[in-house]
Amino acid sequence: MDILHTQLAAIQHRLAFVQEDPIDWRTYVLVFSWGICLFESYLLLRQYPLYSKPAPPSVLAEHFAPDVFAKSQKYGKHKAKFSIVSGLYKQIIDTLQLASGVYYPWAWSASGRLLGLAGYGPEFQISQSVLFVFLLTFTSTLPTLPLGLYQTFVLEEQHGFNKTTLSLYFIDMIKGWALGIVLGTPLLAAFLYIFEWAGDRFVPWVMILLLAFQLSMVILYPTIIQPLFNKLSPLPEGELRTRIEALASKLKFPLKHLYEIDGSKRSSHSNAYFFGLPWSKHIVVFDTLIKQSKPEEVEAVLAHELGHWYYLHPTKLLFVSQFHLFSILALFPAFLNAPPLLRSFGFPESVASRPPPIIAFLLYQMLLTPLEAVVGMALNAVSRRFEYQADRFACELPEILHLDSASEKEAMKDMGTRLSRALVSLHVENLSTVWVDWLYSAYHHSHPTLTERLKALGEYGSEGVGKNESKKEQ
């Protein structure tokens, strides 16, 4: 531990100028945040002409009826317009909050006054910090509320996906705020207490806290949180349940529960996933997926999901996220006690001279915005690689399982074909975009495009959708 703190102290020493030089950090944040906003708008403008293509790629031509493809293009165009407008709108709101130099100091002062009404003074800094965060969260949610309402009740409604009522929308919002208070308050209080207790040696303790929270959410989310929003019912007996249980048994996947979730309560989009601790896993299948796909195709989708488990992708991503978090925290000590940073954002000397950790961390996160955009693209690249591996896993199941029975081999040899059909079906039912600009995809998508996945499935040896077409393209 001493070696770690020595190295962190060396980093802090190299960044000592942050605590002394009067750098105009606010202008830096404004310039780079606008740079990212304009870059994202540029990506949308690269993508937008593709929504005018009259036909799908040749590999998908026979699977998209002309009217369905036209609907898909119209849906994509509508979402792109909304993304451009909403992105610029949010950026203008953020700019007004930052450029005024008033919003964040006001929120800190207001939280102190609210605390004073309860009879507590500024010495209760953790309590004031919690109020500060909730006040920022609430006041920043209000300006963007019309965007959420438009997206749900206009955009999604017009294209046939929205199943949410107005009352359910606001009930979900209130539940989300309540959960934020119930779960966020103790987490934030513990986070801030570590700074008081550990001082500049907070890094390992904060990492332990956040890792413990992540692991506890693996248990709390499915058992307590998700039931507040959706109903999870045991998947009924039948062909689909038999197929999934047999597949899990062959792979020695520690399946404890198999659920169907009422995703159609809010949307007609579909999905399937698994969660749980290493020794106890749960599989959840959306009712919309069950309605849209045949049992053998849903089985193939879950074979892909179990490929993520087989190759330890969730665990690997957890390690990547921990390294990412460590990198962020390792640089933060230099910004933790930096009065010039707070003064740059309009905080009075009485606050800036002894920076509250929550304010320093909030401003520090703003400074990392351009770096996080690059990190996001790198994480997308890792995720896409994992998706290809999981697809290949589904195609090569007979070899991976070392099946001896000819009948079992025969039953699984077309898993890649079924996965191809399921992917196409999901894209057709969800009106997903099939023409995608490569740079737009690299920035925004954690999954390869449909045509990329179909081409890869063909190369893996499956006789799936598009195998012959992919060979022609080569």
Side-chain angles (χ1 to χ4, degrees):
M1 193 73 79
D2 287 339
I3 296 176
L4 172 64
H5 291 310
T6 300
Q7 296 302 316
L8 292 175
I11 295 173
Q12 186 175 356
H13 178 71
R14 288 181 176 273
L15 296 174
F17 66 91
V18 172
Q19 301 176 2
E20 301 168 1
D21 297 349
I23 300 171
D24 189 359
W25 294 109
R26 182 168 55 179
T27 299
Y28 162 87
V29 170
L30 285 170
V31 168
F32 277 100
S33 63
W34 268 104
I36 291 173
C37 177
L38 294 175
F39 177 68
E40 291 177 350
S41 298
Y42 162 72
L43 293 179
L44 283 164
L45 293 175
R46 285 175 60 104
Q47 174 66 22
Y48 194 79
L50 299 179
Y51 297 123
S52 297
K53 283 185 174 287
S58 57
V59 69
L60 298 171
E62 63 181 280
H63 303 284
F64 274 85
D67 61 325
V68 174
F69 179 72
K71 289 179 181 178
S72 163
Q73 293 290 78
K74 186 177 180 181
Y75 182 44
K77 188 176 289 188
H78 195 169
K79 287 195 296 182
K81 289 179 180 177
F82 174 75
S83 295
I84 291 175
V85 173
S86 62
L88 290 172
Y89 175 78
K90 291 176 182 177
Q91 182 60 35
I92 290 171
I93 296 295
D94 291 344
T95 299
L96 291 174
Q97 291 174 345
L98 280 171
S100 67
V102 173
Y103 176 63
Y104 293 101
W106 164 83
W108 180 254
S109 176
S111 61
R113 288 195 298 271
L114 288 172
L115 195 65
L117 293 176
Y120 297 97
E123 67 274 14
F124 291 89
Q125 190 180 96
I126 290 179
S127 299
Q128 184 175 353
S129 298
V130 171
L131 285 173
F132 172 70
V133 169
F134 288 144
L135 189 59
L136 285 178
T137 302
F138 179 74
T139 54
S140 62
T141 298
L142 294 180
T144 58
L145 183 58
L147 296 177
L149 290 169
Y150 178 88
Q151 183 174 18
T152 301
F153 296 104
V154 178
L155 196 159
E156 294 293 312
E157 185 79 31
Q158 283 185 6
H159 299 279
F161 291 113
N162 178 49
K163 304 297 180 184
T164 303
T165 63
L166 190 61
S167 61
L168 182 59
Y169 182 91
F170 282 105
I171 288 172
D172 284 349
M173 181 182 294
I174 293 170
K175 286 180 180 178
W177 284 343
L179 280 171
I181 293 171
V182 172
L183 296 177
T185 299
L187 175 65
L188 183 56
F191 176 78
L192 296 171
Y193 175 76
I194 288 174
F195 289 101
E196 288 189 359
W197 170 70
D200 289 343
R201 298 192 165 208
F202 65 85
V203 174
W205 304 109
V206 169
M207 291 197 65
I208 291 172
L209 171 67
L210 296 180
L211 179 60
F213 179 76
Q214 286 178 282
L215 296 178
S216 65
M217 288 301 294
V218 172
I219 300 172
L220 293 176
Y221 181 78
T223 57
I224 297 176
I225 298 175
Q226 183 144 44
L228 295 173
F229 298 91
N230 292 96
K231 181 181 179 182
L232 287 96
S233 307
L235 187 67
E237 296 293 336
E239 181 185 355
L240 179 57
R241 186 179 185 95
T242 300
R243 282 178 174 274
I244 295 173
E245 289 178 339
L247 179 62
S249 176
K250 289 184 178 72
L251 287 167
K252 296 182 172 55
F253 179 76
L255 178 61
K256 185 174 182 180
H257 292 295
L258 183 53
Y259 294 113
E260 176 182 344
I261 188 171
D262 61 341
S264 59
K265 181 179 180 181
R266 289 173 175 79
S267 172
S268 56
H269 291 297
S270 51
N271 198 4
Y273 61 92
F274 72 88
F275 63 86
L277 298 169
W279 57 86
S280 177
K281 299 291 186 183
H282 311 264
I283 291 177
V284 178
V285 185
F286 278 57
D287 57 353
T288 46
L289 179 61
I290 296 173
K291 293 174 185 176
Q292 294 168 2
S293 303
K294 298 176 181 178
E296 63 268 24
E297 293 171 354
V298 178
E299 179 191 14
V301 171
L302 288 169
H304 165 91
E305 295 299 326
L306 294 182
H308 289 306
W309 165 79
Y310 183 84
Y311 289 117
L312 301 177
H313 291 162
T315 303
K316 292 175 182 177
L317 287 174
L318 178 63
F319 279 114
V320 170
S321 69
Q322 293 306 302
F323 176 76
H324 179 212
L325 177 62
F326 174 78
S327 301
I328 292 173
L329 293 175
L331 300 178
F332 180 52
F335 295 83
L336 178 58
N337 299 300
L341 175 63
L342 273 69
R343 285 197 292 266
S344 176
F345 285 87
F347 284 91
E349 187 61 32
S350 58
V351 178
S353 59
R354 299 184 63 184
I358 190 62
I359 297 177
F361 192 72
L362 171 67
L363 301 180
Y364 172 65
Q365 284 184 302
M366 293 181 187
L367 300 182
L368 293 179
T369 301
L371 179 62
E372 288 300 292
V374 176
V375 170
M377 289 187 69
L379 291 176
N380 279 345
V382 173
S383 176
R384 289 158 74 97
R385 175 178 173 82
F386 287 170
E387 292 302 320
Y388 282 127
Q389 286 183 334
D391 281 350
R392 184 163 195 158
F393 171 86
C395 292
E396 298 177 350
L397 260 179
E399 291 77 18
I400 291 172
L401 293 173
H402 304 293
L403 297 176
D404 297 323
S405 168
S407 61
E408 287 184 326
K409 287 182 179 179
E410 184 67 22
M412 283 197 174
K413 75 174 186 178
D414 67 336
M415 192 69 80
T417 305
R418 286 186 263 155
L419 179 58
S420 296
R421 291 202 306 265
L423 291 174
V424 172
S425 176
L426 288 172
H427 274 68
V428 170
E429 294 291 340
N430 293 329
L431 299 181
S432 299
T433 301
V434 292
W435 288 107
V436 186
D437 174 75
W438 71 270
L439 185 56
Y440 177 89
S441 180
Y443 186 84
H444 286 289
H445 295 164
S446 60
H447 286 52
T449 64
L450 177 60
T451 50
E452 288 171 337
R453 292 181 73 177
L454 294 180
K455 181 178 179 181
L457 284 166
E459 292 172 350
Y460 298 152
S462 82
E463 297 180 359
V465 175
K467 179 181 179 183
N468 294 331
E469 293 291 345
S470 65
K471 285 185 176 180
K472 289 177 185 177
E473 292 171 6
Q474 293 175 336

